[in-house]
Amino acid sequence: MYAPGWREAPPPDVAAPFSDGAVTTAADTTLLRGQLHRELRRRSLPTQADEDDVERLLLAFEELTSNGLRHGAPPVSVSVSQGNSGWLIAVSDGATERTPTPAVDRDPAHGGLGPYLVARLSAAYGWCTGTGRKEVWACVRTAAAA
């Protein structure tokens, strides 16, 4: 069972990723988050995007990527694509048999709240499997588009 609204579904079609990389450690997640932030400052943002939208994207990026490391299987990779009204984050790993599962009736200190947080930050989200990979994805829209 996943957080309310999470379902098995492929991500929407978007342009090629502008940011992607392999993740093997928590330090890689931090490094890629910093690279993503710098790339976002360098490029044109979606229409009416502001710094709050960028922060929501970075938080969702970090949650999905760290969950891929913690609960997935190597290799773990992450990509971010940009559309007119926001971004698509996609994290893939080799644990096709492990579907994402949130914390239910347990102490939040033990984790498992990431799926709920990503659901709150995103306009659409889901996961799918294929060709020996699982992909967990989220569409983070700008506040103006949402």
Side-chain angles (χ1 to χ4, degrees), residues 16-100:
F18 69 86
S19 175
D20 62 353
V23 183
T24 56
T25 67
D28 292 340
T29 301
T30 301
L31 178 67
L32 286 175
R33 183 184 189 279
Q35 289 173 350
L36 174 59
H37 197 196
R38 285 188 295 281
E39 180 63 20
L40 289 167
R41 290 186 180 280
R42 189 186 69 74
R43 68 181 10 239
S44 296
L45 295 176
T47 306
Q48 300 180 352
D50 62 21
E51 192 59 33
D52 287 343
D53 298 322
V54 170
E55 289 302 319
R56 284 187 305 108
L57 169 65
L58 294 171
L59 181 54
F61 173 91
E62 191 153 350
E63 284 294 328
L64 288 178
T65 305
S66 63
N67 279 351
L69 271 178
R70 237 180 267 123
H71 306 293
V76 176
S77 61
V78 60
S79 67
V80 178
S81 302
Q82 182 172 304
N84 291 333
S85 59
W87 304 271
L88 172 69
I89 307 163
V91 177
S92 69
D93 68 71
T96 58
E97 72 287 353
R98 279 187 248 152
T99 60

Side-chain angles (χ1 to χ4, degrees), residues 117-136:
L117 179 59
V118 171
R120 292 290 305 230
L121 295 170
S122 305
Y125 39 86
W127 60 276
C128 59
T129 58
T131 62
R133 307 282 295 157
K134 174 180 71 223
E135 184 173 54
V136 179

